[in-house]
Amino acid sequence: MSAPAAGRSAHVRPATEGDIDAVAAIYATEVREGTATFDLEPPPRAKWQQMLASAHPGDHFVVAEEDGVVLGYAYSTAYRTRGAYTHTREVSVYLDPAATGRGLGRLLYDDLLARLAAGGTHTALACITLPNPASEGLHRACGFEPVGVMREVGLKHDRWIDVAWWQRMLDAPPLPPTPAPTPEAGR
């Protein structure tokens, strides 16, 4: 898929069913050629449909589009499924290789992070495979901070790959006050 020339204006909007093929193609390229994902096979269409169907207030799926062409996408999903993690979301962004270097990653993340904060998400986490200076630069520019590196956790393209975790605290609405404990009878 070829991206339009730079200079036109891209915009971000929520993903739709009609975007799935373009999103899947962008991701499949990274699965086959890159290391930004540890998937070894492109996922089935059902994965993208499940992301669209999620009703969790912290799950968002947005695309950057220009002249009807999807140039990239970003999404937020559960970091872990245990209840105490509900206000923590893991975020990812992927671009068509022909659309890199145009500020689209920042455009996508600015929109996604605003949606997360408005919906009550407290912490956004991103996992970056190393080395990846472009992704590290994007996350730094979007207010993320590195919080740790896990060594040689993925084996892809015949090499061991490290991952770095990055974190951004969001300006989520304040939590409701914690109720005072009630006295227990029979103490």
Side-chain angles (χ1 to χ4, degrees), residues 24-137:
I26 291 168
Y27 191 73
T29 298
E30 189 60 35
V31 168
R32 286 189 312 270
E33 300 172 13
T35 58
T37 176
F38 283 171
D39 274 333
L40 301 176
E41 296 291 331
R45 184 178 184 81
K47 172 200 170 163
W48 308 109
Q49 291 169 320
Q50 288 171 344
M51 288 174 60
L52 282 174
S54 176
H56 189 284
D59 288 350
H60 301 280
F61 187 7
V62 296
V63 297
E65 175 188 56
E66 188 172 72
D67 296 333
V69 176
V70 172
L71 304 175
Y73 63 95
Y75 61 87
S76 56
T77 60
Y79 165 64
R80 298 282 187 265
T81 57
R82 293 179 185 95
Y85 291 118
T86 196
H87 296 285
T88 299
R89 308 313 282 171
E90 187 172 344
V91 298
S92 292
V93 63
Y94 290 90
L95 299 176
D96 181 306
T100 61
R102 296 181 45 198
L104 296 173
R106 178 68 186 262
L107 186 69
L108 283 159
Y109 260 170
D110 285 349
D111 184 276
L112 180 66
L113 294 168
R115 290 172 190 270
L116 286 168
T121 296
H122 180 64
T123 306
L125 299 174
C127 184
I128 302 172
T129 58
L130 299 176
N132 194 336
S135 186
E136 289 179 293

